[in-house]
Amino acid sequence: MNADISALWDRIQGMINGFIVLLPNIVLALIVFAIFFLIARAIKRLVKRLTRDRHQARNLGIVLGRLAQGTTLLVGLFVALSIVIPTFRAGDLVQLLGISGVAIGFAFRDILQNFLAGILILLTEPFRINDQIVFKGFEGTVENIETRATTIKTYDGRRIVIPNSELFTNSVTVNTAFESRRLQYDVGIGYGDNIDLAKELMLEALHSVPEILKDPAPDVLLMELAESTVNIRVRWWINPPRRADDLVSRDKVLSTIKKTLVENGIDLPFPTQQILFHDQTEQTDGNRFRQREGWPAGRGQVPKPRCISDSLRLLAQMQTQKDDNGKVDSPKANDEN
């Protein structure tokens, strides 16, 4: 028992003596690491200061500052370990980092993918902060571009967080990429209206809206002869091309066009449908030559047109004849009695 306690005490004493021997190296390593820590913070602040005045590079400066800080801290950690453990070699650290890197790569593949995509987005700048973008079913204003995800604020006051890998590998519509933007709307007029007059009135209405740019000038084009309308497309440009400006100009354009067309007698017809009933009976069912509507005349015995009023009139005549027959039969029965 005493031998075990003595061996344990010798081991503890040896550890204490070893710590006392390494204490100067540990203190020196902590001082060196603290110096590297201060240097890393200074580098991060320097990068942020250099990109502070450039709004489009602000997030990129933050990311680069963090990378520089992490790299500097890693070098400081290696130097500190070399001071504490003189036998520690750079090859050991590289080997350790290589094995750890493979494991971390498999475990955090999605995170690393989003991180690299975020770096590429910040470098290439397909869109910037405060740009209004459309991605799949989401539309809004870019709030922040981080290394993992990009956040956008929708027009109804919601926040959407989109992974950077999704944004980098899919199509994104940037509505504010250029200074001006073209809008359009199809207006349907009646087939009996004067097309040239309607187009002239629409152009006058467009020129009367102050939010519309004069250059490029607005225009109107005949686009389609639809089922119940003649569709004319009006196109105009706005600046700035933001969603609020889109709604304001669209409201004024449509209100002015409708008022102008109605005042000048241009019809804005509702959709209409025409339903044709074929004269189909057991004898004519399946025989296209006996169908009246929709088939060329002269190909067979085309039946005469019929309507519901004729059928009702025929039904009334049959009922009258039946009643007359009943009145006639009743006196004969009385005479016989």
Side-chain angles (χ1 to χ4, degrees):
M1 186 69 179
N2 293 330
D4 295 336
I5 295 176
S6 178
L8 179 62
W9 173 252
D10 292 340
R11 184 178 300 177
I12 294 175
Q13 191 174 6
M15 293 175 60
I16 294 174
N17 293 333
F19 177 75
I20 293 174
V21 172
L22 291 176
L23 184 59
N25 293 342
I26 294 174
V27 174
L28 181 60
L30 291 176
I31 294 174
V32 171
F33 185 77
I35 293 174
F36 273 92
F37 180 78
L38 295 177
I39 293 175
R41 291 186 61 182
I43 293 176
K44 180 180 178 181
R45 292 178 180 176
L46 178 62
V47 175
K48 290 178 64 178
R49 188 181 299 111
L50 292 176
T51 58
R52 182 179 302 171
D53 297 334
R54 299 182 60 187
H55 181 73
Q56 64 273 17
R58 186 176 302 171
N59 274 353
L60 180 60
I62 294 174
V63 174
L64 293 179
R66 290 175 180 174
L67 290 176
Q69 183 183 22
T71 304
T72 306
L73 289 176
L74 183 62
V75 173
L77 178 62
F78 170 70
V79 174
L81 289 175
S82 300
I83 295 174
V84 176
I85 309 174
T87 58
F88 185 80
R89 296 177 301 177
D92 299 334
L93 180 62
V94 172
Q95 183 179 3
L96 178 62
L97 291 177
I99 298 174
S100 303
V102 174
I104 292 174
F106 280 106
F108 301 97
R109 181 179 59 183
D110 294 337
I111 296 177
L112 294 176
Q113 185 179 3
N114 290 325
F115 176 80
L116 293 177
I119 296 296
L120 292 174
I121 289 175
L122 291 171
L123 288 174
T124 57
E125 290 186 345
F127 54 84
R128 303 172 181 175
I129 295 178
N130 291 329
D131 272 338
Q132 293 184 346
I133 65 173
V134 181
F135 175 72
K136 294 184 178 179
F138 307 111
E139 181 175 359
T141 304
V142 178
E143 280 189 321
N144 196 9
I145 305 175
E146 301 176 349
T147 54
R148 188 191 69 84
T150 296
T151 58
I152 65 174
K153 181 180 180 181
T154 61
Y155 304 130
D156 55 356
R158 294 180 294 172
R159 174 174 294 172
I160 306 296
V161 181
I162 306 174
N164 288 328
S165 59
E166 293 288 331
L167 289 171
F168 190 75
T169 56
N170 291 279
S171 300
V172 179
T173 302
V174 185
N175 289 331
T176 54
F178 304 101
E179 295 182 355
S180 57
R181 178 184 173 188
R182 192 188 71 186
L183 306 176
Q184 64 184 30
Y185 190 85
D186 290 345
V187 179
I189 65 173
Y191 270 88
D193 294 320
N194 189 326
I195 296 178
D196 294 332
L197 176 60
K199 293 171 66 175
E200 182 179 353
L201 293 173
M202 291 180 186
L203 275 178
E204 293 179 0
L206 290 173
H207 286 294
S208 65
V209 178
E211 285 77 11
I212 294 180
L213 297 179
K214 306 302 179 183
D215 186 21
D219 58 357
V220 293
L221 300 171
L222 179 61
M223 294 301 298
E224 183 182 12
L225 300 178
E227 295 180 355
S228 56
T229 58
V230 176
N231 292 335
I232 299 177
R233 178 166 299 175
V234 294
R235 306 189 302 180
W236 68 95
W237 293 80
I238 60 172
N239 183 12
R242 306 192 71 83
R243 178 65 173 176
D245 305 286
D246 174 7
L247 295 177
V248 170
S249 67
R250 190 180 297 271
D251 173 72
K252 293 186 178 180
V253 165
L254 298 184
S255 300
T256 306
I257 286 179
K258 180 181 183 300
K259 181 180 179 181
T260 303
L261 294 180
V262 172
E263 288 179 351
N264 289 271
I266 302 297
D267 187 22
L268 299 174
F270 297 99
T272 58
Q273 281 187 330
Q274 184 179 7
I275 301 177
L276 302 176
F277 294 94
H278 296 299
D279 293 323
Q280 255 182 231
T281 63
E282 294 181 356
Q283 291 76 17
T284 62
D285 187 17
N287 187 357
R288 296 187 177 183
F289 294 101
R290 300 292 302 275
Q291 305 299 320
R292 174 174 177 79
E293 303 294 349
W295 301 97
R299 297 181 60 184
Q301 297 179 0
V302 181
K304 295 181 179 180
R306 298 169 60 184
C307 59
I308 297 178
S309 59
D310 295 336
S311 300
L312 294 176
R313 188 179 299 109
L314 179 60
L315 181 61
Q317 292 177 357
M318 294 174 61
Q319 186 67 31
T320 303
Q321 293 178 358
K322 182 177 179 181
D323 294 341
D324 292 341
N325 293 334
K327 291 179 181 179
V328 171
D329 291 340
S330 124
K332 291 182 179 180
N334 293 331
D335 293 339
E336 292 176 357
N337 293 334

